[in-house]
Amino acid sequence: QIRLVESGGGLVQPGGSLRLSCAASGSIFRLNTMGWYRQAPGKEREWVATITSGGTTLYADTVKGRFTISRDNAKSTLFLQMNSLKPEDTAVYYCTTSNSGNRYWGQGAQVAVSS
C-alpha cells in the first residue's frame, strides 16, 4: 500500500512563493513517476506537473515558468516549488502516483493566494 502525505500549504499574497512536499512510503519511490494535481473550489481536479523516474518534467501551460517539480529519491519526497503565485492558483494540491494499475492520492494541501 502506497501512502502519500502532502505538507507546506498555506496562505500567501499574490506574487509570493510556497513549496509543497509529498512524503511517499510503501513503494520503491525512485522507480515511480510522480505528479501534482490541484482542485479549485467548484472546479474539476486538473493536472499541474509530472516528473518521471528519470527526472523528465512536464508542466501545464498555466504554471509553466512559475512552478518547478522535483524529487529527492533518497528521502522518498516529491516537491512543488511555486513562485509568482496568482489568485487563480488557489486550490487543494494533491500528489499522486500509480503502481500496479492503481492510482494513489495524498490527502491534499490547501493553497490560498489572496491579498
Side-chain angles (χ1 to χ4, degrees):
Q1 182 73 14
I2 293 175
R3 184 167 184 246
L4 304 172
V5 180
E6 299 96 337
S7 61
L11 174 64
V12 63
Q13 292 187 340
S17 298
L18 279 176
R19 189 174 83 153
L20 301 181
S21 300
C22 173
S25 61
S27 72
I28 304 175
F29 179 81
R30 61 181 174 83
L31 299 181
N32 288 13
T33 291
M34 303 293 299
W36 289 98
Y37 279 68
R38 66 185 181 186
Q39 187 166 18
K43 295 187 177 181
E44 294 190 354
R45 193 171 296 189
E46 65 174 1
W47 169 70
V48 174
T50 295
I51 184 166
T52 69
S53 58
T56 299
T57 58
L58 296 169
Y59 297 94
D61 287 343
T62 52
V63 306
K64 197 174 296 182
R66 300 187 298 121
F67 290 12
T68 302
I69 188 172
S70 62
R71 63 194 299 161
D72 183 336
N73 289 336
K75 297 183 178 179
S76 296
T77 303
L78 177 72
F79 302 100
L80 185 67
Q81 177 67 44
M82 303 183 292
N83 298 330
S84 301
L85 282 161
K86 305 175 181 180
E88 51 264 43
D89 295 318
T90 295
V92 178
Y93 284 72
Y94 299 90
C95 69
T96 183
T97 191
S98 61
N99 184 271
S100 300
N102 298 309
R103 168 76 45 188
Y104 297 89
W105 299 91
Q107 84 287 353
Q110 176 70 55
V111 172
V113 184
S114 175
S115 55

